[in-house]
Each structure stands twice: as C-alpha cells, then as structure tokens.
Amino acid sequence: MPNKHKPPVTFAHPAFQKTLLDWYDAARRDLPWRASPGVRPDPYRVWLSEVMLQQTVVKAVIPYFEAFLARWPNVEALADAPRADVMAAWAGLGYYSRARNLHACANILANGGFPRTEAALRELPGIGAYTAAAIAAIAFDLPAAAVDGNVERVIARLHALSEPLPGGKPRIRLLAQALVPEKRPGDYAQAMMDLGATVCTPRSPSCGGCPVQGFCSATRAGQPERYPVKAPKPARPVRHGDAFVIVKGSCRDRHVLLRRRPEKGLLGGMMEVPCTEWTPRTEAEQGSAVSACWMPAGTVRHTFTHFYLKMRVFAAGYAGARSEARGFGGQWVRLDELPHTALPTVMKKAVAAGFEALGIAARIGGRGLLR
Ligand code: SF4
C-alpha cells in the first residue's frame, strides 16, 4: 500500500537548493533583523523579529522592531522592562498575546539563554512550530523547515498539490522538510521566505523572473495561482457592542477614562474605553438602550481573526456621565499619555470617534495622540 505521507521526489533536490541559494546570495532582502552575509545572526534579533512577523507583514513590523531594539537592545533589557511598557510599545501591532508571551519568554531566556534545538524552543511561551523552526534555522543554522503561509504557497506550487488546505498542511510540511539542505539551512529558510514574499506572491506570481521556474509543476501546468488549493472558509461572523468615551477636564488637563482588559482572552492586558460585551446580537436586538447623556459618535468597524466587530461609540463629558463613569471603574489617563498607553487599534478608533464627536483634537503640539 502506498504511504500517503511519503514525499514524492519530483526533482533533484541539490540542484534546486543550489539554484535557490545562488539567487538568495544575489537578491536577498535587506531587513533590519538580518545579519550581513558571513556574520553569525543574533538570536535575540531573530526571535524578536519572528514573533513580530507572526501574522503581520514586514512593512508593519520594521518600525516596531527598530523601536524595540533601540529601547531594549538585548533580551536581558527586555526582561527587566515593566510589562506595561512592553504592552504599550506593542500597541498597534495587534495579536496582543504575543507581547505578553514575549515578555514572559524574555524572562526565561534572560536566565537560561536561548535553547538550541527546535523542540526546546517550542517549549517557550509564544513559540509555535513555525517560529521554533525559523529561529532554529536562522539563528543556529539547524536543518529545520520553517513553513509559514509564504512557504506553504511555494511548496504547493512547486509540486502542484491538489489536496486543499488546511487538510494538506501535514503533507506540505513533509515536502518542505525534504527540501532543506544540510549546508546553509538558515540561508535556505530565508531564501524560501524571500521567494514567497517577493516572487511567488499570492496573486500574479512573477514566474518569468523566478529562479526555480524550471523546477515548478504549477507553472508548467500554466495555472500557478490555483495553488495552494483552499477549502472554502466559513463566513466570518459579526459581533456587536457599544463603547463609551468619557472625557473630563479641559485643554491641557484633559483626561479620558480607560480600564484594563482581563489578562486572559482577546486583547488581554491591553487598555480599553469602557464597553459592553461583544455579542452576535445587536444592542437593538437585545433591547438595550443608552441614556440621554451620551452623544452618538458613529460606529467603529474592526476585523479580528474570527469575527468582524461593529461597535457603536458614544461620547460624553464627565459632568454629564458622572454616575455611569463611576460604575465603569478604570482610571483617568491624561491625553498626552495616550501615545504611551497600551491601547489596541480598535480602541484607538473608538477614542478617535469619541474625540471627534466632542470636538477634541486628537493631536497635541502637532503630535498624534493615537499613533
Ligand atoms: Fe512560484 Fe511561479 Fe516560481 Fe513556481 S515558477 S515557484 S509558481 S513564482
């Protein structure tokens, strides 16, 4: 009986590896976390960048990576930082459990150093299969296959795999692992990432300029964009909620009421304006209404991994909403402290809408409060 997990040998691996590495040597991306050719990579930079790059594009990560590195140049410095500072510095990058795990992981690494096996790396907070493989390959030159969405696409196309994702992922991982060379596995991992990000793109791959076109089954078949085949996704559900922006004071002494979200769960440990639970039913369907002291400030829309959020925003001065503000709990934050507050993007949108309704400028001295 054929072994369905046995990778087929569809082309000569050494020729493929050499072609890809030659291309990488000539066309590698210059990224701030990358070591120069011949220089041993710094595991701290590799780890920090790979955590930031989880579900986030390179362009968005670069300014955050540079700011983190300037402020916390090594893992010991990051471990010593108050967690609230790390969360605030992460604000806007999304997927905030990464920041919590990053700080927890820094504390382990500062004491024990970086483990040097893929399996041991996987034991650390916030490090899954992909990140462990990427760190093992790039920082320690171990023959690990780092398979993210880009690499998945390249492998699916090279082999013209017809099995749809996500069911086809284990097979893709096996095929990816079979291609990893014994020499220069770190450069090879980065070459695959670069190929997926710059040449073998999801739409309109540049097959004409692709270094491994001669090895690619999908381009031979004439329909590279068909791959990877994907099973239809269920529609993303919509959730609804209400947010309340309460402001007190005037001019230079203005404050906004914020509270900290529970440590566990979505946006855990980040700050928020008081808001209702986010549920599949609209507030109108639930029969709830807001009192007359609130000024409608529009609806904020935000996409999370598993749902869309439509959140009505209401705004009020403290004088009018005093009794409700007391019920919300939380703390008053001066407006000029907002840039240093761990306010996730969805909450920045809510605050901006509330400020606009109240006629408050979201800039002080030319500086954006909600960067
Ligand atoms: Fe991707 Fe085209 Fe290169 Fe194949 S030839 S790996 S489809 S860019």
Side-chain angles (χ1 to χ4, degrees):
M1 201 170 122
N3 177 355
K4 71 176 183 148
H5 289 309
K6 188 167 180 235
V9 179
T10 53
F11 45 75
H13 293 176
F16 172 82
Q17 292 155 350
K18 181 175 183 327
T19 305
L20 188 65
L21 283 166
D22 287 350
W23 170 77
Y24 179 71
D25 288 340
R28 70 202 290 277
R29 284 180 294 173
D30 192 13
L31 299 170
W33 45 85
R34 260 190 194 165
S36 303
V39 175
R40 184 181 294 221
D42 174 0
Y44 174 64
R45 285 172 170 244
V46 176
W47 163 68
L48 181 60
S49 63
E50 287 299 338
V51 172
M52 288 183 165
L53 287 163
Q54 291 166 359
Q55 289 158 304
T56 309
V57 296
V58 164
K59 195 174 157 207
V61 164
I62 287 174
Y64 282 86
F65 176 82
E66 289 178 335
F68 265 65
L69 207 67
R71 195 161 168 192
W72 301 299
N74 52 49
V75 75
E76 290 79 15
L78 185 59
D80 280 347
R83 196 178 70 165
D85 288 4
V86 176
M87 300 296 285
W90 195 275
L93 201 53
Y95 299 99
Y96 296 98
S97 60
R98 292 184 296 172
R100 278 198 310 279
N101 285 328
L102 187 84
H103 193 245
C105 192
N107 277 283
I108 297 170
L109 296 172
N111 290 318
F114 276 87
R116 295 188 173 236
T117 67
E118 204 178 336
L121 285 161
R122 273 205 77 168
E123 299 290 311
L124 294 167
I127 299 190
Y130 165 76
T131 307
I135 297 170
I138 300 169
F140 304 119
D141 222 18
L142 295 170
V147 185
D148 65 353
N150 280 334
V151 174
E152 218 165 60
R153 183 171 62 253
V154 173
I155 297 289
R157 288 175 177 174
L158 286 171
H159 295 278
L161 295 179
S162 54
E163 192 180 346
L165 297 180
K169 281 174 183 270
R171 183 162 171 74
I172 287 182
R173 271 196 293 277
L174 282 170
L175 290 165
Q177 185 68 60
L179 283 176
V180 176
E182 283 175 20
K183 287 189 180 158
R184 301 182 65 193
D187 285 344
Y188 172 85
Q190 293 173 96
M192 284 293 273
M193 291 171 190
D194 282 11
L195 188 74
T198 63
V199 180
C200 193
T201 47
R203 282 178 290 279
S204 309
S206 309
C207 300
C210 176
V212 294
Q213 188 185 22
F215 302 92
C216 181
S217 298
T219 198
R220 257 197 307 280
Q223 284 183 299
E225 288 180 38
R226 257 197 75 212
Y227 304 94
V229 180
K230 289 187 180 161
K233 268 193 189 164
R236 199 177 266 158
V238 180
R239 290 194 198 167
H240 303 265
D242 286 346
F244 302 93
V245 178
I246 306 169
V247 175
K248 76 170 184 181
S250 59
C251 299
R252 291 178 184 282
D253 195 35
R254 208 167 251 147
H255 291 67
V256 62
L257 185 66
L258 298 181
R259 60 187 191 185
R260 193 170 291 284
R261 290 179 63 86
E263 288 298 320
K264 291 228 177 316
L266 188 68
L267 308 177
M270 301 294 284
M271 301 299 283
E272 66 172 8
V273 291
C275 51
T276 61
E277 219 182 309
W278 301 338
T279 70
R281 298 173 66 209
T282 64
E283 292 299 304
E285 282 168 343
Q286 292 177 58
S288 61
V290 295
S291 71
C293 69
W294 297 102
M295 185 184 295
T299 298
V300 156
R301 290 171 171 75
H302 194 77
T303 305
F304 291 97
T305 315
H306 300 298
F307 65 95
Y308 289 115
L309 176 66
K310 283 189 186 173
M311 187 165 69
R312 297 188 302 177
V313 180
F314 297 91
Y318 182 55
R322 189 184 303 261
S323 61
E324 286 168 66
R326 286 190 185 125
F328 287 140
Q331 64 197 76
W332 292 104
V333 175
R334 271 174 65 109
L335 297 206
D336 58 3
E337 283 299 314
L338 283 179
H340 316 294
T341 303
L343 209 55
T345 303
V346 62
M347 291 300 157
K348 287 180 181 171
K349 291 180 187 174
V351 171
F355 281 7
E356 194 176 336
L358 294 169
I360 297 171
R363 302 180 77 78
I364 286 182
R367 195 164 56 105
L369 296 173
L370 302 165
R371 63 170 168 86

